[in-house]
Amino acid sequence: MRNKLLALSLGVSFMALTGCQDGSATTGTKTETQEKDIFVGKPMSMEYEEEITKLISQMTLEEKAGMLHGTSMFATSGVPRLGIPELTMADGPLGIREEISRDSWAPAGWDNDFATYLPAGAGLSATWNPELAHTFGSVIGAEARERNKDVLLAPAFNIIRTPLGGRTYEYFSEDPFLNTQITVPYIVGVQEHDVAACIKHYAVNNQETNRGTVDVQMDERTLREIYLPAFEAAITDAHAYSVMGAYNRFRGDYLNENEYMLQNVLRDEWGFKGIVISDWAAIHSTVKALKAGADVEMGTPGPFNEFYFADPLIAAVKSGELAEEEVDKHVRRVLRLMYNIKSIDSTGRAKGARNTEEHFQEAYNIASESVVLLKNDKNVLPLNLEGVKSIAVIGDNATKKNALGGFGAGVKTKREVTPLEGLQNRLPESVKINHAQGYLERYSKTERAKFGDITLDGPVTIDELDPKLLEEAVNAAKNSDVAIIFAGSNRDYETEASDRASLDLPFGQQELIEKVMQANPNTIVVLIAGAPFDIEDISQKSSTLVWSWFNGSEGGNALADVLLGTVNPSGKLPWTMPKKLEDSPAHATNSFPGGETATYDEGILVGYRWFDTKNVEPLYPFGYGLSYTDFEFSNARLDKKEAYAGDETIQVSVDVKNTGDFDGKEVVQLYVSKLDSKVERAAQELKGFKKATVAKGATKTVTIDVPVKELAYYNMENNNWTVEPGTYTLKLGNSSRNILQEVTVQVK
């Protein structure tokens, strides 16, 4: 119910969310009506129930069971004699996964399963641009449809609780509001192409360590305020058609047999009408899981007929342990989804498109808005090529490709522009590139974790530098006018199935960066990674620091355009960069990773909420990111002087002036504080943001809508949302630690 108000801010405030106050968007122009409706999903239709009843009445028990479990790696059975096709699925965090064999994880070896490689989730969220999230969803939805997939196993948007998380690169952010603003338009974009989005991983799946067994414990307020808002909005606003049940336990029960989460919350409270698909091998029972609300079992090891929802389900019905009516209920849900995406009657179903130049351009647009400028003390950037005859390009990440890296889903793509290739594409021929690899991506010969065998250690790196490569890198830096070192991580090191053991940069990069900076003071450090690292020493010693991501097919071109000033950076960090691991809340409370049980002792103080409330200084705060220009905020004001009632919306306006020499985009972030609250609250919470495009010398008024009910906390005494009356401070800034304007409001 509370997230209906998020839909209001998502839909009505489209113009300001994208920062296009004149109505123009970054990838096209939309009418006022489209602006209001673009982020509102299409509810699942119930008009097919009579036809579904007729189909179920004609099916055998064996046919019904076949629709409720995998009969290949990524599909369930159809019933051809009744015109019911298979339900096909595809992984999709980075683009549509290459085709694999029907009965194993081995690649199928097709030559027509290429796809657009899209920026990873951390990069998408770093744009702070909901319209680009819609674009992302639309692109990947169209590509899934062209590959004849029915369900896209994405987006993944669990809260980033620890910077060590193996899937931080894939997830969106540490903040429930930012997660919601990215998640909803993404889902809408996918499902516009008659493909069901499968939101994951429901729920509280915030670590890879022991993910298959760990029992997560937290109070109800923490669950409702931090870990569920984006899932609720995905159901009530975007109308996602499917949900993936997570691996872990919650309050004792596995998520795929957790009646409270699957029935009480998901269906009874939120009104979910679609299907719950288990994560692969996340089902542990037949009767309990089915009755709790799981609908489709996928990925369980062993022959397909031995899945819990296969022969054991049939046996349970025949023995009387399970009523066939219970089976019918789940089959109905699957058929309902299939009718809604037009997979049974394909009349008018979207055709889709894949590997188009338009899609590569959209991948570029997302990547170019995701790059974060962390430091630019000497204004080395954008690169002034006047008098520059040579540039050293150093580091394995200058040529590293990430589309197919790591455990989990990869993308077989025809195009992945590396940073080196991007610079080669963009630099004039008069500038010589002196390339040096610098370091080797090396791992120990000890056996790495098998998929699903979760360890905290993950891949063990060899961190000594190769003397010859180091010498080549130092010489390249000495003999060039400018040096750019591309360091960071990759998708073999940041990966599903393991959390990192520390925040240390791998492969000896710390030493390499220091020696390159000593060899050439004009050194630009570019870090490519999906999660925080310990870069405090590098940050202190370098004058110029850029953060990029696993950024898709056009990532290298986008990064080169930022370095050269064709694109003014506008990315903002979607998580807090700590000075040391112990500063992060899950580690400060010694509650990560836990053992059999993980108790979230930090409660609601996740991410910047902890840092700001506990007065812990981060290295770089949540929402941080510089520009090549400067912005001033002034004249913050409200739409009225009187107190606001609970059903009203607070309208906050601020003037943003571009005082520099470049056109640019700034993200106006609105945080809310209530100092005299009767309950524990974070020092401040993000409750609104808008990305504004402001020409140099110009001033633009940015208006943010905050429904009063967004100020509520979850009251555990009555299990409801409560808005405290009184005074609230609305803080406007360009990061959680750089507040530039404040206004106070009274709430009745």
Side-chain angles (χ1 to χ4, degrees):
M1 181 175 177
R2 177 168 173 260
N3 277 310
K4 290 295 181 186
L5 296 158
L6 296 183
L8 176 66
S9 65
L10 278 165
V12 177
S13 302
F14 170 84
M15 230 173 12
L17 281 166
T18 59
C20 304
Q21 304 297 313
D22 58 358
S24 63
T26 52
T27 55
T29 301
K30 292 177 170 60
T31 67
E32 183 178 354
T33 301
Q34 289 173 315
E35 285 162 359
K36 289 181 178 178
D37 294 340
I38 191 169
F39 297 154
V40 178
K42 180 182 178 183
M44 182 168 277
S45 173
M46 304 295 286
E47 65 181 292
Y48 309 103
E49 299 304 297
E50 189 175 332
E51 296 173 55
I52 291 170
T53 299
K54 291 179 181 178
L55 282 176
I56 292 174
S57 70
Q58 300 174 67
M59 294 170 63
T60 66
L61 177 60
E62 289 72 17
E63 288 170 336
K64 294 172 185 177
M67 294 187 66
L68 302 183
H69 69 89
T71 51
S72 71
M73 297 300 288
F74 279 90
T76 62
S77 281
V79 185
R81 69 182 183 86
L82 297 177
I84 302 172
E86 290 184 327
L87 184 71
T88 59
M89 308 174 196
D91 269 325
L94 308 174
I96 304 306
R97 184 178 186 151
E98 67 174 326
E99 203 70 27
I100 67 167
S101 302
R102 287 187 63 84
D103 57 359
S104 78
W105 291 103
W110 292 9
D111 60 4
N112 63 346
D113 56 344
F114 294 93
T116 304
Y117 166 32
L118 290 155
L124 174 61
S125 57
T127 68
W128 287 61
N129 188 333
E131 191 201 355
L132 287 179
H134 179 263
T135 295
F136 189 114
S138 182
V139 169
I140 201 169
E143 299 220 344
R145 182 77 290 282
E146 201 278 338
R147 281 271 300 279
N148 293 314
K149 304 301 181 185
D150 298 316
V151 179
L152 176 73
L153 304 173
F157 49 86
N158 293 97
I159 289 289
I160 295 169
R161 179 175 179 251
T162 166
L164 297 181
R167 300 184 85 155
T168 297
Y169 80 91
E170 178 185 351
Y171 293 162
F172 289 160
S173 85
E174 67 187 24
D175 180 77
F177 185 84
L178 179 56
N179 267 17
T180 297
Q181 305 293 304
I182 299 298
T183 296
V184 169
Y186 181 125
I187 295 166
V188 173
V190 169
Q191 295 191 164
E192 286 171 345
H193 294 276
D194 297 327
V195 172
C198 184
I199 59 174
K200 61 185 189 182
H201 307 85
Y202 182 73
V204 294
N205 184 188
N206 309 102
Q207 63 188 60
E208 296 300 282
T209 305
N210 301 326
R211 69 176 178 181
T213 57
V214 68
D215 185 5
V216 174
Q217 299 288 330
M218 70 177 71
D219 63 52
E220 193 70 9
R221 183 181 174 198
T222 298
L223 176 70
R224 297 291 182 147
E225 290 190 17
I226 304 297
Y227 295 95
L228 289 190
F231 283 102
E232 182 178 359
I235 301 302
T236 61
D237 300 337
H239 300 288
Y241 286 173
S242 61
V243 172
M244 181 179 288
Y247 280 117
N248 52 293
R249 301 173 190 256
F250 179 61
R251 297 176 182 165
D253 284 328
Y254 285 108
L255 263 305
N256 286 283
E257 50 188 50
N258 194 306
E259 185 176 357
Y260 177 69
M261 295 298 288
L262 297 185
Q263 186 61 49
N264 297 2
V265 176
L266 183 63
R267 295 191 185 276
D268 295 345
E269 287 189 33
W270 300 347
F272 179 60
K273 304 297 184 187
I275 63 172
V276 173
I277 302 170
S278 76
D279 206 339
W280 268 233
I283 292 285
H284 298 270
S285 64
T286 301
V287 176
K288 183 176 181 179
L290 203 69
K291 285 187 173 181
D295 297 303
V296 175
E297 175 191 7
M298 296 299 295
T300 299
F304 296 119
N305 68 296
E306 294 180 4
F307 280 25
Y308 290 98
F309 287 6
D311 287 353
L313 182 150
I314 296 169
V317 172
K318 290 183 177 179
S319 69
E321 185 181 6
L322 185 70
E324 189 164 353
E325 288 77 14
E326 178 70 33
V327 177
D328 291 351
K329 179 171 68 176
H330 299 274
V331 173
R332 174 177 296 278
R333 293 171 182 168
V334 175
L335 288 170
R336 182 185 298 149
L337 179 144
M338 297 177 80
Y339 270 107
N340 272 269
I341 62 172
K342 304 174 185 175
S343 70
I344 290 182
D345 179 2
S346 59
T347 303
R349 193 177 192 189
K351 301 298 182 185
R354 186 161 47 96
N355 288 322
T356 65
E357 285 303 317
E358 180 183 3
H359 286 182
F360 288 126
Q361 179 63 45
E362 300 290 17
Y364 170 89
N365 293 342
I366 296 166
S368 65
E369 285 201 27
S370 74
V371 178
V372 182
L373 180 61
L374 295 178
K375 192 174 182 181
N376 195 26
D377 283 357
K378 297 180 180 178
N379 292 322
V380 173
L381 293 177
L383 272 172
N384 182 353
L385 297 179
E386 185 176 347
V388 173
K389 296 180 180 179
S390 59
I391 295 178
V393 175
I394 298 167
D396 189 66
N397 266 358
T399 56
K400 176 71 176 178
K401 295 191 175 184
N402 289 296
L404 279 171
F407 281 130
V411 182
K412 187 165 75 175
T413 184
K414 291 183 176 180
R415 183 184 303 179
E416 182 177 354
V417 180
T418 66
L420 175 59
E421 291 168 338
L423 287 168
Q424 290 170 336
N425 292 339
R426 300 308 201 236
L427 287 170
E429 292 183 4
S430 60
V431 177
K432 180 185 178 184
I433 295 177
N434 296 317
H435 173 237
Q437 185 174 359
Y439 67 91
L440 291 170
E441 178 196 350
R442 294 188 293 178
Y443 302 94
S444 71
K445 293 183 179 179
T446 56
E447 185 178 0
R448 294 177 61 191
K450 294 184 174 64
F451 186 81
D453 178 19
I454 313 305
T455 70
L456 187 62
D457 298 327
V460 180
T461 63
I462 297 174
D463 295 325
E464 293 81 14
L465 291 171
D466 181 282
K468 182 179 179 182
L469 293 183
L470 175 59
E471 181 182 8
E472 290 174 354
V474 169
N475 287 336
K478 284 181 178 177
N479 296 315
S480 302
D481 297 315
V482 177
I484 308 175
I485 182 164
F486 293 92
S489 184
N490 56 61
R491 283 198 57 246
D492 290 313
Y493 188 66
E494 291 183 60
T495 175
E496 177 183 0
S498 67
D499 295 316
R500 290 181 291 147
S502 76
L503 292 183
D504 296 341
L505 280 172
F507 317 125
Q509 294 177 83
Q510 182 90 22
E511 179 185 357
L512 174 66
I513 293 169
E514 290 179 0
K515 292 191 173 177
V516 168
M517 288 193 295
Q518 291 170 5
N520 190 330
N522 294 323
T523 294
I524 300 162
V525 180
V526 180
L527 291 157
I528 297 173
F533 279 89
D534 180 0
I535 59 169
E536 183 176 15
D537 191 58
I538 293 170
S539 178
Q540 290 174 350
K541 293 177 179 178
S542 65
S543 65
T544 313
L545 190 58
V546 176
W547 190 279
S548 190
W549 315 88
F550 309 139
N551 238 351
S553 287
E554 285 285 332
N557 285 332
L559 184 53
D561 284 343
V562 168
L563 297 176
L564 294 172
T566 306
V567 171
N568 191 348
S570 64
K572 302 283 185 177
L573 291 179
W575 34 248
T576 302
M577 180 92 72
K579 289 186 175 181
K580 57 182 185 295
L581 181 62
E582 294 76 21
D583 290 342
S584 293
H587 302 270
T589 57
N590 294 312
S591 56
F592 172 86
E596 292 182 2
T597 299
T599 303
Y600 287 20
D601 291 334
E602 71 279 5
I604 61 171
L605 300 182
V606 175
Y608 70 90
R609 287 168 165 80
W610 174 274
F611 285 83
D612 294 348
T613 305
K614 302 293 185 180
N615 293 315
V616 178
E617 188 70 25
L619 181 59
Y620 292 107
F622 174 77
Y624 176 87
L626 302 176
S627 170
Y628 294 149
T629 193
D630 296 304
F631 298 97
E632 289 183 355
F633 290 17
S634 64
N635 192 26
R637 56 205 182 271
L638 301 170
D639 60 322
K640 71 173 192 174
K641 296 180 180 179
E642 298 82 14
Y644 291 85
D647 59 351
E648 291 186 293
T649 295
I650 304 165
Q651 196 171 78
V652 188
S653 297
V654 65
D655 296 335
V656 180
K657 183 177 182 180
N658 184 336
T659 62
D661 298 326
F662 297 86
D663 297 343
K665 297 178 181 179
E666 179 62 295
V667 179
V668 180
Q669 302 166 36
L670 187 153
Y671 297 86
V672 174
S673 296
K674 193 176 195 316
L675 298 180
D676 60 347
S677 178
K678 296 179 181 178
V679 298
E680 179 192 24
R681 286 184 184 258
Q684 57 185 13
E685 297 179 322
L686 182 72
K687 293 297 181 182
F689 66 86
K690 292 178 183 178
K691 195 165 194 176
T693 303
V694 189
K696 61 181 179 180
T699 299
K700 180 167 288 185
T701 297
V702 173
T703 299
I704 298 176
D705 292 337
V706 182
V708 169
K709 290 186 179 180
E710 265 301 296
L711 307 179
Y713 72 93
Y714 190 81
N715 189 333
M716 291 193 293
E717 292 182 3
N718 59 16
N719 293 320
N720 214 333
W721 293 94
T722 299
V723 177
E724 284 186 287
T727 303
Y728 291 79
T729 303
L730 308 185
K731 304 177 179 181
L732 297 156
N734 55 15
S735 82
S736 64
R737 288 294 179 107
N738 193 35
I739 302 302
L740 302 171
Q741 291 275 289
E742 293 186 2
V743 292
T744 58
V745 300
Q746 297 296 319
V747 173
K748 296 177 183 178

